[in-house]
Amino acid sequence: MDGIEHRLRGLLRGEKRMIAQIISAVENDCAQGLLQNIFPYTGRAYHVGITGPPGAGKSTLVNAVAKQFLQQGKKIGIIAVDPSSPFSGGALLGDRVRMTDLAAHRDVFIRSMASRGSLGGLARTTKDAALVLDAAGMDYVLIETIGVGQVELDIAGVCDTTVVVLVPESGDSIQAMKAGLLEIADILVVNKSDRDGSERLVMELKFAMEMREREPDWEYPILMTTATEEKGIGQLVIALQAHIDHLSMTGKLEEQRKAKLLHHVHELVEQKIRSHLEENVMHEHDLRTLVDRIYRRRLDPYRVAERIARKIVKGSR
Amino acid sequence: MERKIRVLVGKPGLDGHDRGAKVVAAALRDAGMEVIYTGLHQTCESIVDAAIQEDVQVVGLSILSGAHMTILPRILKLLKTRKAGDMIVIGGGIIPADDAKKLEKMGVRRLFGPGTPTVEIVDWIRANAGKVGKSGKVGKSGKVPRHQTVKKKKATAVARWRKKK
């Protein structure tokens, strides 16, 4: 009686309860065996990331974009990440409030995720959750980050296309020239464009993007939207599709996805080593006592790290 | 890592008073739970759909419109037909004692009236939601979830460390 087989079949049939339970297992780190079995069925969905500062209208934009995709008869998976409290570990996941248009639609699956201590704008397991939705037969997986500042850029390592959403209040040309958020954008959106200053921001973004080292053959679109009224969403959907075409025609899709898989493997290895360290080599508490001695300058961090690394290598051979 | 308690806080039906629901949602968040808030004016169908997709252990519904005898049984029924009858349904709002009795017989596990301290709700959920842990079982061919073994180790490490002192 193998639970994995049963779960996998439910997932591939697109049973919502099964998808949801598998994502929970992924979130709680008890799904490695399952993920191994799911992986061969992934790679078909197109992953779109939506990121931007808090209150920029990411959820509302996701809602509007998903509606258009639904009209085209596509299946949509949505993962919306909100922050966990570093104090209580709790989270208030409120992205669904902006997505009530999609509620109970047959071809939509929305999952809210708490960031659970990750600092890059996503939860550590968001990538795997997206794979679960991919295997469940979604055409598009839309991933919405927490409200980000300048350096929470994990999303770019997870998605094929990254949309950065800004609002007229997002800042001036100097902000636009800074490293970070804008560098990961494939498409830029100025949302709430009915407000003052949106045209000026578009100009400044254009200026900033022109100075960037650019990807050849891709004209970075800078679009104006008003997501609450669904204005400009059509253009955004066209831009998304244009970017997909661009990626697949230039062969960049494969190249990009390979780079991301490499990164994924690295991450997993790091996690494995970390838990191996914690469980078999040296426990956090023992490490603390060592830190005591480091603090009193009887030991130094470099030598301690070297010794621990040696222990790990020995233990695994 | 323990299995997080996930709770959906929903406002089904037509009343637009969500202060109470928000207070409860904030209290549960501060108690370390992951709270999915659905917003106002939700249909029973969309709430059940959200509860399933979010894989919550607890569905908490705030109803101040007087429609509780329609809404709550409907949600219970929908959950059952969607094979999610194991989710715990609780409620809050203005619900007369007679109705409350009937609802609890139907399968609403608990109703919290006005003036309930939020601590009481938190404690009740902690006591009742932790037991399900269905996803805790999913692992590599039914082994003990890793967090349990880790915890044990931690306990002994602490003991060792204390002895040393």
Side-chain angles (χ1 to χ4, degrees):
Chain A
M1 204 205 90
D2 194 359
I4 288 184
E5 184 76 10
H6 169 67
R7 275 160 198 278
L8 187 63
R9 238 180 290 139
L11 172 70
L12 296 178
R13 272 200 301 265
E15 285 170 20
K16 287 191 172 174
R17 182 115 215 252
M18 193 57 86
I19 301 172
Q21 288 177 340
I22 291 175
I23 293 179
S24 295
V26 166
E27 270 193 303
N28 293 326
D29 279 333
C30 4
Q32 194 191 322
L34 202 50
L35 281 169
Q36 285 169 1
N37 285 284
I38 288 170
F39 192 77
Y41 300 95
T42 60
R44 282 174 291 194
Y46 187 73
H47 297 232
V48 178
I50 317 265
T51 189
K58 296 179 293 298
S59 307
T60 315
L61 206 67
V62 167
N63 177 61
V65 168
K67 266 166 85 178
Q68 296 241 341
F69 280 141
L70 283 175
Q71 279 168 14
Q72 297 176 6
K74 305 287 189 202
K75 286 187 179 162
I76 312 296
I78 297 172
I79 298 173
V81 189
D82 266 335
S84 294
S85 161
F87 305 106
S88 70
L92 187 80
L93 310 173
D95 291 316
R96 268 181 181 273
V97 175
R98 324 281 173 203
M99 300 182 191
T100 47
D101 290 350
L102 307 171
H105 194 293
R106 193 165 42 94
D107 292 333
V108 180
F109 188 100
I110 307 172
R111 178 63 174 239
S112 315
M113 281 183 107
S115 62
R116 296 195 181 174
S118 288
L119 299 175
L122 298 175
R124 185 171 50 76
T125 51
T126 299
K127 192 183 302 180
D128 291 330
L131 285 177
V132 173
L133 290 178
D134 187 340
M138 304 298 167
D139 297 298
Y140 291 91
V141 179
L142 308 179
I143 303 174
E144 180 197 333
T145 68
I146 65 168
V148 301
Q150 292 169 323
V151 292
E152 296 98 324
L153 310 177
D154 282 1
I155 188 73
V158 176
C159 290
D160 298 311
T161 300
T162 305
V163 180
V164 171
V165 186
L166 300 168
V167 285
E169 294 81 3
S170 293
D172 60 8
S173 57
I174 300 301
Q175 293 295 343
M177 285 164 66
K178 285 183 184 170
L181 190 57
L182 290 188
E183 286 179 291
I184 60 167
D186 300 303
I187 297 170
L188 279 160
V189 169
V190 176
N191 192 34
K192 307 191 186 184
S193 65
D194 51 336
R195 291 195 190 166
D196 280 349
S198 57
E199 266 153 38
R200 198 208 55 206
L201 180 60
V202 169
M203 295 282 291
E204 275 162 1
L205 289 172
K206 267 188 192 147
F207 174 68
M209 294 309 278
E210 271 163 21
M211 290 190 300
R212 282 265 149 76
E213 199 170 307
R214 305 167 66 88
E215 202 185 310
D217 308 322
W218 176 243
E219 197 67 40
Y220 292 86
I222 303 171
L223 306 170
M224 285 165 75
T225 59
T226 311
T228 47
E229 293 166 29
E230 297 183 28
K231 275 189 194 151
I233 305 301
Q235 273 107 312
L236 176 54
V237 170
I238 291 169
L240 282 170
Q241 274 152 352
H243 193 245
I244 304 174
D245 293 343
H246 161 75
L247 288 178
S248 27
M249 270 176 351
T250 53
K252 274 213 73 173
L253 190 64
E254 189 181 327
E255 191 187 313
Q256 237 175 255
R257 284 186 171 183
K258 276 183 185 161
K260 279 161 195 171
L261 288 172
L262 179 68
H263 184 68
H264 196 178
V265 172
H266 275 301
E267 266 179 5
L268 290 172
V269 170
E270 269 166 42
Q271 278 167 29
K272 290 254 177 265
I273 291 177
R274 201 169 292 234
S275 54
H276 175 66
L277 169 69
E278 174 89 348
E279 282 165 30
N280 306 323
V281 181
M282 179 166 288
H283 204 273
E284 189 74 18
H285 281 287
D286 304 321
L287 202 54
R288 289 245 168 91
T289 54
L290 277 180
V291 167
D292 229 37
R293 294 173 62 195
I294 297 173
Y295 177 75
R296 280 186 259 116
R297 298 303 188 265
R298 302 244 180 90
L299 274 172
D300 64 85
Y302 315 100
R303 205 171 316 172
V304 169
E306 179 70 36
R307 250 187 252 163
I308 292 174
R310 286 231 177 105
K311 253 184 164 178
I312 291 174
V313 175
K314 247 191 235 160
S316 60
R317 287 235 169 112
Chain B
M1 197 196 282
E2 291 167 52
R3 166 112 157 104
K4 275 268 175 204
I5 298 179
R6 284 170 73 88
V7 184
L8 180 135
V9 174
K11 282 288 303 176
L14 291 176
D15 80 90
H17 303 280
D18 61 353
R19 176 76 59 97
K22 281 178 179 161
V23 168
V24 172
L28 300 182
R29 177 203 65 199
D30 290 342
M33 301 178 196
E34 292 181 354
V35 183
I36 293 96
Y37 184 58
T38 65
L40 290 170
H41 309 313
Q42 297 300 299
T43 62
C44 297
E45 284 77 6
S46 70
I47 283 178
V48 167
D49 216 46
I52 286 172
Q53 293 175 17
E54 300 290 357
D55 192 32
V56 294
Q57 293 102 313
V58 181
V59 180
L61 300 162
S62 156
I63 308 171
L64 301 166
S65 63
H68 47 268
M69 293 310 280
T70 316
I71 290 169
L72 287 170
R74 184 159 172 74
I75 285 190
L76 288 171
K77 197 179 146 205
L78 282 168
L79 281 172
K80 256 183 216 132
T81 54
R82 304 273 312 260
K83 291 184 194 150
D86 56 316
M87 285 182 188
I88 296 167
V89 176
I90 58 178
I94 311 294
I95 295 167
D98 283 355
D99 288 353
K101 258 186 214 150
K102 281 183 212 159
L103 289 168
E104 279 174 6
K105 242 183 215 159
M106 285 178 207
V108 176
R109 288 281 297 279
R110 184 72 193 267
L111 290 159
F112 297 94
T116 310
T118 51
V119 179
E120 200 181 312
I121 306 176
V122 167
D123 289 346
W124 191 92
I125 291 178
R126 277 206 186 121
N128 290 279
K131 292 171 196 161
V132 189
K134 46 195 177 320
S135 294
K137 277 188 266 169
V138 184
K140 305 155 203 165
S141 54
K143 271 191 214 161
V144 185
R146 214 185 63 215
H147 63 265
Q148 288 183 8
T149 58
V150 172
K151 241 190 210 162
K152 225 188 211 168
K153 266 191 196 158
K154 239 177 215 166
T156 53
V158 171
R160 233 191 302 136
W161 181 70
R162 286 216 178 108
K163 245 185 220 166
K164 259 188 223 164
K165 277 194 123 185

